């Protein structure tokens, strides 16, 4: 059976050059970068080199990069580290549409006495900036907003939010896990104080990420241990993963333009053909700035989980909501925040493309999906 992979917001295939770059660090260069003997030299210089490449890609200094194990860890370290270093401020501002990697640590802080403002979104997924401006005060320790939503691809006005946060001395953390590699992302133009990224979302391996902490930011380390990452994130470095993440940045740089052309065109064609071929289809976040690879579509009256099973049978891989929640019965909190009813939300599927997606794969999907949806609706009516 053929496979068409349209679940790139869940994870991406490791690019061949990325895989080759990491291989020697599992075989001949397996030493610990902290070792004093010669087997530590190559891993140590590889980590230094990877840090410099990642910093150049993001537009920050080497010293501002902290390697971590994933996006979830980066988000947790950012959130905890900010509130721990601002004990006089007990207020947090975030959005109603964050990933659980941000939502859950903030909920934990809320249950331990912090006040949290959850900024809502409109039907298109756009953030209520007036509410954001009202919510941030001189008591706000942290503003935490995702760069782009993992379910809908809707992008948030980070620069504007940075100005609001800065105006009140609050620290801005941006979960950019879904942005990197899909749209240009430069630390200076973003204006954030801390930024979380994860390699497996941009054709690197799973199990490695980074947290960028801008110079002068009020932030305290969370883990205690050795002096790796200058004591800010102790633990023996995932050398192969770090090297691979730098190689994935090269891959991302080389393919960034393709996302604005090829990937966007494929995504738009996918939506246009499906909307023409299937009645009662809607696209969430369609009216605003979205990641060029993401399409979140609702098929009125259809159970998304049942549709996903039938799509899988013909080799099409997609998901309902976030991969971290798939299997959970609860409707997507993102779609609920956008004002969709639970029936509408239960009919939605996220399709996410990559630069590896081909015209032919999209043609296959736009042929298969209408047939399957029509069959489901026919069966439902005759049942
Ligand atoms: N933040 C967002 C927006 C995500 O989409 C994800 C993963 O789906 C994460 C954080 C967590 O990243 P990781 O899987 O590397 O822990």
């Amino acid at each position: 059976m053929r496979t068409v992979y349209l679940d790139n917001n869940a994870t991406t295939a490791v690019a061949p050059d990325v895989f080759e770059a990491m291989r020697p660090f599992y075989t001949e260069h397996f030493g610990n970068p902290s070792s004093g003997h010669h087997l530590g030299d190559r891993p140590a210089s590889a980590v230094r080199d990877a840090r410099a490449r990642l910093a150049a890609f993001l537009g920050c200094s080497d010293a501002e990069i902290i390697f971590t194990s994933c996006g979830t860890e980066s988000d947790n370290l950012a959130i905890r580290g900010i509130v721990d270093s601002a004990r006089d401020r007990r207020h947090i501002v975030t959005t109603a549409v964050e990933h659980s990697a941000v939502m859950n640590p903030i909920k934990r802080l809320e249950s331990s006495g912090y006040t949290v403002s959850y900024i809502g979104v409109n039907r298109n997924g756009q953030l209520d900036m007036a509410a954001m401006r009202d919510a941030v005060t001189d008591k706000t320790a942290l503003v935490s907003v995702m760069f782009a939503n993992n379910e809908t691809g809707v992008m948030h006005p980070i620069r504007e939010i940075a100005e609001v946060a800065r105006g009140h001395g609050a620290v801005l953390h941006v979960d950019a896990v879904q942005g990197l590699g899909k749209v240009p992302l430069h630390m200076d133009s973003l204006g954030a104080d801390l930024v979380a990224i994860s390699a497996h979302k941009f054709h690197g391996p799973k199990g490695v990420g980074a947290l960028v902490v801008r110079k002068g930011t009020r932030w305290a380390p969370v883990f205690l241990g050795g002096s790796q990452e200058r004591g800010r994130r102790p633990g023996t470095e995932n050398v192969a993963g770090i090297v691979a993440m730098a190689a994935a940045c090269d891959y991302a740089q080389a393919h960034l333009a393709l996302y604005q052309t090829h990937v966007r065109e494929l995504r738009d064609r996918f939506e246009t053909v499906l909307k023409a071929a299937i009645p009662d289809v809607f696209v969430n976040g369609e009216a605003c700035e979205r990641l060029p690879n993401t399409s979140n579509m609702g098929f009125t009256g259809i159970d998304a989980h049942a549709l996903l099973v039938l799509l899988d049978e013909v080799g099409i891989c997609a998901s309902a909501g976030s991969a971290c929640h798939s299997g959970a019965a609860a409707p997507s909190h993102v779609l609920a925040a956008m004002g969709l009813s639970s029936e509408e939300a239960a009919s939605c599927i996220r399709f996410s493309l990559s630069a590896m997606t081909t015209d032919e794969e999209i043609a296959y999907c736009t042929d298969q999906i209408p047939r399957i949806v029509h069959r489901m609706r026919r069966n439902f009516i005759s049942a």
Side-chain angles (χ1 to χ4, degrees):
M1 185 181 68
R2 69 171 306 170
T3 295
V4 178
Y5 186 68
L6 296 186
D7 203 12
N8 286 280
N9 285 9
T11 196
T12 55
V14 174
D17 286 353
V18 171
F19 185 66
E20 287 313 317
M22 73 193 289
R23 188 200 293 274
F25 294 91
Y26 285 121
T27 52
E28 66 257 48
H29 309 309
F30 62 85
N32 186 323
S34 299
S35 290
H37 53 71
H38 73 277
L39 272 183
D41 294 348
R42 183 71 193 270
S45 67
V47 170
R48 260 195 315 275
D49 171 66
R51 194 186 306 281
R53 282 157 67 198
L54 182 58
F57 183 56
L58 294 172
C60 63
S61 76
D62 300 12
E64 291 174 320
I65 304 255
I66 299 174
F67 290 120
T68 67
S69 68
C70 61
T72 302
E73 185 193 325
S74 299
D75 285 333
N76 274 263
L77 293 186
I79 292 163
R80 188 80 237 182
I82 293 166
V83 298
D84 279 355
S85 65
R87 295 222 179 256
D88 52 326
R89 292 174 175 238
R90 308 278 297 174
H91 177 232
I92 296 168
V93 177
T94 189
T95 81
V97 295
E98 294 303 308
H99 189 274
S100 48
V102 165
M103 199 63 102
N104 287 339
I106 289 180
K107 287 232 169 85
R108 168 76 66 89
L109 289 165
E110 191 174 20
S111 64
S112 72
Y114 281 82
T115 308
V116 181
S117 305
Y118 297 93
I119 307 300
V121 296
N122 65 16
R123 182 75 187 198
N124 293 320
Q126 275 161 323
L127 212 54
D128 182 347
M129 279 305 292
M132 171 68 75
R133 276 188 212 95
D134 285 348
V136 182
T137 72
D138 293 351
K139 287 277 157 240
T140 308
L142 159 71
V143 178
S144 183
V145 179
M146 69 205 322
F147 179 83
N149 188 269
N150 47 302
E151 294 188 32
T152 61
V154 171
M155 293 160 69
H156 291 147
I158 302 298
R159 259 224 88 81
E160 238 180 284
I161 296 166
E163 275 162 30
V164 176
R166 191 163 308 116
H168 292 279
V171 177
L172 174 62
H173 160 243
V174 170
D175 174 346
V177 167
Q178 288 296 344
L180 201 70
K182 297 167 186 153
V183 287
L185 204 153
H186 190 278
M187 286 301 301
D188 284 340
S189 36
L190 210 56
D193 300 300
L194 294 97
V195 169
I197 63 165
S198 177
H200 77 101
K201 305 291 187 181
F202 57 102
H203 299 286
K206 294 161 191 63
V208 60
L211 177 65
V212 182
V213 183
R214 301 281 3 222
K215 191 164 184 274
T217 301
R218 225 174 36 232
W219 177 81
V222 178
F223 296 167
L224 303 177
S227 59
Q228 295 95 344
E229 299 302 284
R230 297 196 287 131
R232 295 173 302 170
R233 197 280 190 180
T236 303
E237 299 87 340
N238 173 2
V239 179
I242 289 168
V243 167
M245 183 158 61
C249 289
D250 295 344
Y251 179 90
Q253 184 68 57
H255 292 81
L256 214 43
L258 267 190
Y259 274 84
Q260 305 313 322
T261 53
H262 172 71
V263 178
R264 187 184 293 278
E265 273 162 32
L266 286 184
R267 191 274 311 267
D268 290 350
R269 189 187 317 150
F270 177 79
E271 290 181 348
T272 307
V273 175
L274 290 189
K275 281 193 292 186
I278 311 172
D280 299 322
V281 166
F282 54 95
V283 177
N284 293 306
E286 188 178 19
C288 53
E289 213 185 342
R290 281 183 293 160
L291 294 175
N293 78 316
T294 307
S295 179
N296 190 306
M297 293 189 112
F299 302 86
T300 306
I302 295 281
D303 173 44
H305 288 285
L307 176 53
L308 283 173
V309 170
L310 296 177
L311 292 180
D312 199 21
E313 278 176 11
V314 296
I316 300 171
C317 306
S319 66
S322 155
C324 310
H325 293 294
S326 53
S332 150
H333 70 286
V334 174
L335 300 180
M338 288 167 70
L340 273 72
S341 67
S342 44
E343 291 76 27
E344 284 170 323
S347 77
C348 293
I349 290 190
R350 176 187 72 185
F351 302 95
S352 45
L353 289 62
S354 81
M356 295 179 181
T357 309
T358 65
D359 286 69
E360 199 271 318
E361 286 177 329
I362 292 301
Y364 177 74
C365 292
T366 52
D367 177 49
Q368 292 287 340
I369 296 172
R371 288 200 304 109
I372 293 170
V373 171
H374 288 145
R375 198 173 76 219
M376 287 178 81
R377 283 187 175 152
R378 246 193 342 266
N379 291 348
F380 182 69
I381 288 162
S382 62

